[in-house]
Amino acid sequence: MSTELSYARGAASTDLLDETIGANLDRAVAAYPDHEALVEMATGRRWTYREFGSEVDAFALGLSAAGIGKGDRVGIWAPNCAEWSITQYATAKIGAILVNINPAYRTHELEYVLKQAEITMLIAAPKFKTSDYAAMITDVRPRVDSLKDVVLIGSQEWDGLVAAGRDADPQTLTAALASLHPDDPINIQYTSGTTGFPKGATLSHRNILNNGFNVGELCDYTPDDRVCIPVPFYHCFGMVMGNLGVTTHAATMVIPAAAFDPTATLKAVAEEKCTSLYGVPTMFIAELADPNFDSYDLSSLRTGIMAGSPCPVEVMKQVVSRMGMTDVTICYGMTETSPVSTQTRVGDTLDQRVTTVGRVHPHLEIQLVDPATGEVVPRGTAGELCTRGYSVMVGYWNNPEKTAKAIDSDGWMHTEDLAVMDDEGYVAITGRIKDMVIRGGENIYPREIEEFLYTHPDIVDAQVIGVPDEKFGEELMAWIQLRPGAEPLTVDVLREFATGKLARYKIPRYIHLTEEFPMTVTGKIRKVEMRDQSVKLLGLDTNEA
């Protein structure tokens, strides 16, 4: 066994950016005014950096005229669209804190986030697919005291804000920008914990601007790059690694569709001659399986990012050979670290890209510690991955107790993920301390769903676990104890109860009615034993690796 400890510090060829997001965008606009900044495939709309900067400034001034200022929380609830990006940069310019709301949320989750973040203004799409956002907002609004304004994208209210901004004194924005500091909080992203409701990871200009920049640096971005972003903006993958990774290099953001669609993504890459493509492995698998895959000219592709879950070897081989992404990189991180802590490099071997999540990022430190003792473990030994540096969040919004639990007194963010570091500093994620289910790239925390199930009048107790699934990796299963005399609960009845209140991907696919749960002698639920029993109950043994 190696005597070297599992610790690494990221070397850097460039300094950290000591500026705000707005100031950084202004630099890109000044240096590349006629270069294309944003392309939205669904509508055919395009903006040069000069045009994008003008649109951002107008909306920022409009928000300011509406009374939104530094520190106010502005929620955004919409699928990927140009207005999402404009809002992201406009709120940053005036120091308002953008609160990302998952487009899959329903009333139960929306109400919680609006109240917890004390959102003043909510910007939302009127509807998308089966989600009637406007109706859900109408339902929830009377119960949220902080919410003063709702602005639907494409509405007269949106147009009015932009018009007011165009008529406003530009010096208002100059003064607002001058009052900001890189360490000011600028974004809240909700990430569920293993217990209770989601926690609002609060991120600063310095956090996300630098993380986006360094992700782009390791992809060798220049203004000539055109990045296809089919991953969601509400998540760090889209708004940080995507948007900020692009604008910090004065490259071009390409939005292929409002939500992931393999055909739309391939079409965008071919038509816009994208040099980089993002996605979780299941997205790349869907693109490769497109029946017309061979008809798309993907010869412009050079690099990209795959993250979210491990990439199968055969998929990576096809991404390199059939899609031409010879410089594709793998990233690992978490929302609380802005998000990326490790990344493979251009030139890393295929084996390093499919068996590891790369090496520590520039300007960051990582270490693997024994979860029981806190001591750094030797290389080759599994330990909890911890990250320290500029990327670590400001904290959980209005939750100092949870913040103190996640970030220790030495500034290390504890990920609760288990990993192994090799002699070259490459990190492989081997498991998780968290009782988390990963379904199709979505992180699902059982406790949040359990808390919701307790609201059903016939449910006495509920425990949620993940079981193997060929399509999604894992699926949700709820073990449920009913009150005496209650009618047996079916999956369909449970789905009807949860629809409109929980995001679809959080509604359990399987349920098992039980009188008791496997427990330890100290009374703790044994979810490992529940999972083993469930695999047998459902006949899923063949799915096990």
Side-chain angles (χ1 to χ4, degrees):
M1 184 182 291
S2 173
T3 56
E4 190 175 0
L5 294 177
S6 297
Y7 168 87
R9 187 186 187 99
S13 58
T14 56
D15 293 335
L16 284 174
L17 301 173
D18 189 30
E19 61 189 343
T20 62
I21 290 167
N24 182 268
L25 179 63
D26 284 348
R27 283 204 296 119
V29 170
Y32 298 92
D34 300 319
H35 193 70
E36 206 158 53
L38 178 63
V39 177
E40 185 182 64
M41 299 298 292
T43 61
R45 293 182 294 172
R46 296 171 182 272
W47 291 262
T48 62
Y49 268 89
R50 181 190 288 110
E51 292 164 343
F52 184 68
S54 174
E55 201 72 26
V56 166
D57 287 356
F59 196 56
L61 283 163
L63 290 172
S64 183
I68 300 296
K70 182 178 179 179
D72 289 334
R73 271 78 68 204
V74 175
I76 184 157
W77 193 29
N80 289 12
C81 60
E83 287 81 4
W84 210 113
S85 301
I86 290 164
T87 301
Q88 176 184 346
Y89 290 87
T91 50
K93 278 221 163 181
I94 58 172
I97 300 174
L98 185 70
V99 183
N100 302 4
I101 303 175
N102 188 331
Y105 273 7
R106 293 297 182 264
T107 54
H108 181 71
E109 299 130 320
L110 173 67
E111 183 175 342
Y112 172 78
V113 169
L114 290 172
K115 287 179 175 178
Q116 207 276 333
E118 296 176 296
I119 287 171
T120 303
M121 176 185 282
L122 176 61
I123 296 167
K127 60 183 179 180
F128 180 66
K129 292 186 177 177
T130 59
S131 297
D132 188 338
Y133 295 133
M136 285 189 273
I137 293 166
T138 300
D139 176 10
V140 167
R141 192 172 183 177
R143 300 191 293 277
V144 184
D145 295 337
S146 63
L147 188 60
K148 306 303 179 193
D149 295 296
V150 174
V151 178
L152 298 180
I153 292 169
S155 69
Q156 289 183 341
E157 288 80 9
W158 174 279
D159 293 341
L161 284 177
V162 174
R166 294 206 192 283
D167 291 338
D169 182 356
Q171 289 303 313
T172 305
L173 191 55
T174 304
L177 200 55
S179 73
L180 306 182
H181 188 276
D183 290 324
D184 291 338
I186 204 63
N187 183 220
I188 297 175
Q189 299 196 30
Y190 278 85
T191 174
S192 297
T194 50
T195 59
F197 281 96
K199 303 184 293 290
T202 307
L203 305 168
S204 67
H205 294 271
R206 191 184 306 280
N207 286 153
I208 60 177
L209 183 68
N210 280 288
N211 204 259
F213 174 70
N214 282 303
V215 164
E217 285 291 282
L218 295 188
C219 289
D220 287 343
Y221 284 163
T222 72
D224 293 330
D225 280 294
R226 300 173 68 80
V227 184
C228 184
I229 312 172
V231 293
F233 287 162
Y234 78 84
H235 189 274
C236 275
F237 203 168
M239 70 164 285
V240 179
M241 299 157 72
N243 293 348
L244 288 170
V246 172
T247 59
T248 52
H249 292 85
T252 306
M253 301 171 277
V254 178
I255 306 174
F260 175 67
D261 176 89
T263 301
T265 302
L266 293 168
K267 186 170 180 281
V269 170
E271 291 185 4
E272 294 300 318
K273 294 183 166 44
C274 294
T275 59
S276 177
L277 173 61
Y278 288 7
V280 298
T282 51
M283 290 182 176
F284 285 100
I285 291 167
E287 289 152 13
L288 289 161
D290 188 284
N292 297 312
F293 178 87
D294 292 328
S295 68
Y296 296 101
D297 179 2
L298 308 180
S299 59
S300 58
L301 280 177
R302 169 184 64 82
T303 186
I305 295 173
M306 198 179 296
S309 58
C311 179
V313 177
E314 288 308 311
V315 175
M316 179 62 81
K317 285 180 179 175
Q318 288 190 55
V319 165
V320 172
S321 64
R322 295 182 65 200
M323 301 183 86
M325 295 171 61
T326 52
D327 295 341
V328 65
T329 69
I330 305 296
C331 291
Y332 162 82
M334 62 191 303
T335 304
E336 291 90 336
T337 54
S338 303
V340 178
S341 295
T342 70
Q343 187 172 352
T344 59
R345 272 45 168 190
V346 171
D348 279 349
T349 66
L350 184 68
D351 184 61
Q352 286 166 331
R353 283 185 274 188
V354 296
T355 61
T356 80
V357 290
R359 292 173 285 155
V360 64
H361 236 232
H363 298 286
L364 296 179
E365 298 172 89
I366 59 170
Q367 64 179 14
L368 308 185
V369 302
D370 184 316
T373 67
E375 296 295 317
V376 181
V377 299
R379 296 203 178 189
T381 303
E384 182 187 9
L385 196 154
C386 301
T387 301
R388 183 166 69 179
Y390 79 83
S391 71
V392 175
M393 66 175 177
V394 176
Y396 291 120
W397 185 259
N398 281 346
N399 202 333
E401 297 84 7
K402 289 288 194 329
T403 302
K405 189 175 179 182
I407 305 170
D408 68 26
S409 57
D410 292 323
W412 290 101
M413 176 74 209
H414 287 252
T415 68
E416 299 186 8
D417 285 326
L418 294 169
V420 174
M421 183 184 293
D422 70 16
D423 288 336
E424 294 179 276
Y426 286 85
V427 174
I429 305 299
T430 58
R432 54 189 182 270
I433 302 169
K434 298 175 183 178
D435 187 18
M436 182 174 74
V437 178
I438 302 179
R439 180 190 182 277
E442 288 280 359
N443 292 355
I444 304 173
Y445 296 82
R447 189 65 189 170
E448 183 190 354
I449 300 166
E450 290 162 0
E451 293 283 356
F452 173 73
L453 292 177
Y454 292 147
T455 66
H456 191 288
D458 289 339
I459 293 178
V460 173
D461 199 357
Q463 298 292 326
V464 174
I465 57 171
V467 294
D469 184 77
E470 283 186 341
K471 182 177 180 182
F472 293 106
E474 288 184 286
E475 265 288 6
L476 290 175
M477 181 173 189
W479 282 42
I480 292 171
Q481 181 183 358
L482 296 174
R483 65 172 177 79
E487 289 290 322
L489 191 67
T490 65
V491 170
D492 288 341
V493 170
L494 183 63
R495 185 178 294 117
E496 184 178 349
F497 175 73
T499 296
K501 298 171 186 171
L502 278 185
R504 286 183 180 180
Y505 67 85
K506 294 181 185 176
I507 300 174
R509 180 176 174 183
Y510 307 107
I511 63 171
H512 172 59
L513 302 181
T514 185
E515 293 297 321
E516 57 184 10
F517 300 90
M519 290 191 179
T520 65
V521 289
T522 57
K524 291 182 180 178
I525 301 286
R526 285 188 48 81
K527 287 197 170 181
V528 172
E529 190 174 323
M530 283 173 57
R531 186 176 186 275
D532 291 342
Q533 288 185 32
S534 299
V535 166
K536 292 183 175 66
L537 278 169
L538 299 171
L540 300 174
D541 306 68
T542 53
N543 291 352
E544 292 288 75

